[in-house]
Amino acid sequence: MIGEIIDWFTSSANWQGADGVPTRVLQHLGYVLLALVLASVIAVPIGLYVGHTGRGGVLLVGSGNVIRALPTLGLVTFLFLLFTDSDVAAIIGLVVLAIPPILAGTYAGLQAVDRAVVDAAEGMGMRGGQRLWQIEVPIALPLVLGGVRNAVLQLVATAAVAAYVGLGGLGRYLLDGLAILDYGEVAAGAILTALLAIVLDVVLAAVQRALVPRGVRLAEAGTKKEVSA
C-alpha cells in the first residue's frame, strides 16, 4: 500500500491537467470557502442577536443539534434530486453542515462575556449596539473564530461528497479510486484532504491571533492558568 501511495504521488500525470492535484485542491477549496462565507452570513448575525438579547437560546441550541444529526451525503443526494443541479445541492448541503458550529461559537462567545463588564458599559451610557460591537464582540471573538475553525475542518472533510453528485474536488480521488479498486489513489485523496485541513487550520489560527485583541488573549490565558492550577 505504501508503495502504491508513493507511486501515485510521484507520477507527474497526477499533478497536471483537469484531474491533477492543483486543480482538485482549488476546486475543493472553492467549495469550502463558498460554503463558509454563506454559512457565516447566516449564522453569525443570528448568533450575535440571540447571544446579545438572550432570546431564543433554547430554540437555537435545539435546532443546532437537529441540523448536526442530518447525514450530509443523504441531504446532498436529496437536494440533487430536488434541484437536479449538482452545484446547488452540494453547496446547500455544506452550508447546512457549517451553520451549527459557527452559530454555537458565536452564541457561546457572547454568553461567556462577564455580565459585570456589560453592566459597567451600560452604566457608562453605552447603548445596546455600542456594547455589542465595542465590548461583547471583541471579548467573544476567540470563541466566534473557534466556531469558524471547527466549521472549516468539518467542511474540508465533508466537501468530498460533492464528487457523489458529479462535481470535482479531492473527493474525486476517493470515488474514482474505489470505482477501479485503486487504493493508492483512495489513500492519496484522504492524505491530501487531511493536509488541506491542517494547512487551513494553521492559517486560521494565525488569523485568530491577529484579530483577537491582546488584552483578550492575555485574559484568556490567565483564565486557563487558573483553571489548570
Side-chain angles (χ1 to χ4, degrees):
M1 173 63 77
I2 296 178
E4 293 179 5
I5 297 173
I6 294 175
D7 289 342
W8 193 93
F9 275 108
T10 54
S11 174
S12 60
N14 295 323
W15 293 87
Q16 56 190 354
D19 295 327
V21 171
T23 301
R24 293 303 188 198
V25 169
L26 288 176
Q27 290 172 341
H28 203 93
L29 194 58
Y31 301 144
V32 169
L33 293 180
L34 179 57
L36 180 67
V37 169
L38 294 176
S40 298
V41 168
I42 297 170
V44 170
I46 296 175
L48 290 178
Y49 173 78
V50 176
H52 177 66
T53 63
R55 301 171 184 171
V58 175
L59 178 61
L60 182 146
V61 173
S63 59
N65 290 335
V66 170
I67 294 174
R68 289 175 190 272
L70 292 174
T72 306
L73 179 57
L75 178 62
V76 169
T77 303
F78 170 75
L79 291 170
F80 176 70
L81 295 174
L82 183 64
F83 294 107
T84 64
D85 188 307
S86 300
D87 293 280
V88 172
I91 294 303
I92 292 178
L94 293 174
V95 168
V96 170
L97 171 74
I99 285 176
I102 299 175
L103 197 58
T106 306
Y107 172 70
L110 264 70
Q111 286 293 297
V113 175
D114 190 342
R115 291 298 98 185
V117 176
V118 178
D119 292 341
E122 186 176 4
M124 293 173 61
M126 282 189 172
R127 297 181 179 179
Q130 291 176 316
R131 294 197 304 273
L132 174 64
W133 294 108
Q134 296 180 30
I135 303 296
E136 296 177 69
V137 170
I139 295 176
L141 207 52
L143 286 178
V144 175
L145 295 176
V148 172
R149 288 173 65 182
N150 287 337
V152 168
L153 293 178
Q154 292 184 32
L155 285 171
V156 172
T158 315
V161 301
Y164 287 88
V165 288
L167 296 181
L170 296 175
R172 293 274 17 138
Y173 297 135
L174 303 175
L175 188 64
D176 296 344
L178 285 173
I180 59 175
L181 300 181
D182 185 346
Y183 298 113
E185 182 175 357
V186 174
I191 292 171
L192 288 169
T193 302
L195 288 175
L196 181 60
I198 292 171
V199 169
L200 289 178
D201 192 53
V202 170
V203 171
L204 289 174
V207 171
Q208 180 173 340
R209 183 172 179 81
L211 292 180
V212 175
R214 185 171 182 270
V216 175
R217 294 202 309 270
L218 293 175
E220 187 180 17
T223 302
K224 289 180 178 178
K225 287 182 180 179
E226 291 178 3
V227 172
S228 61

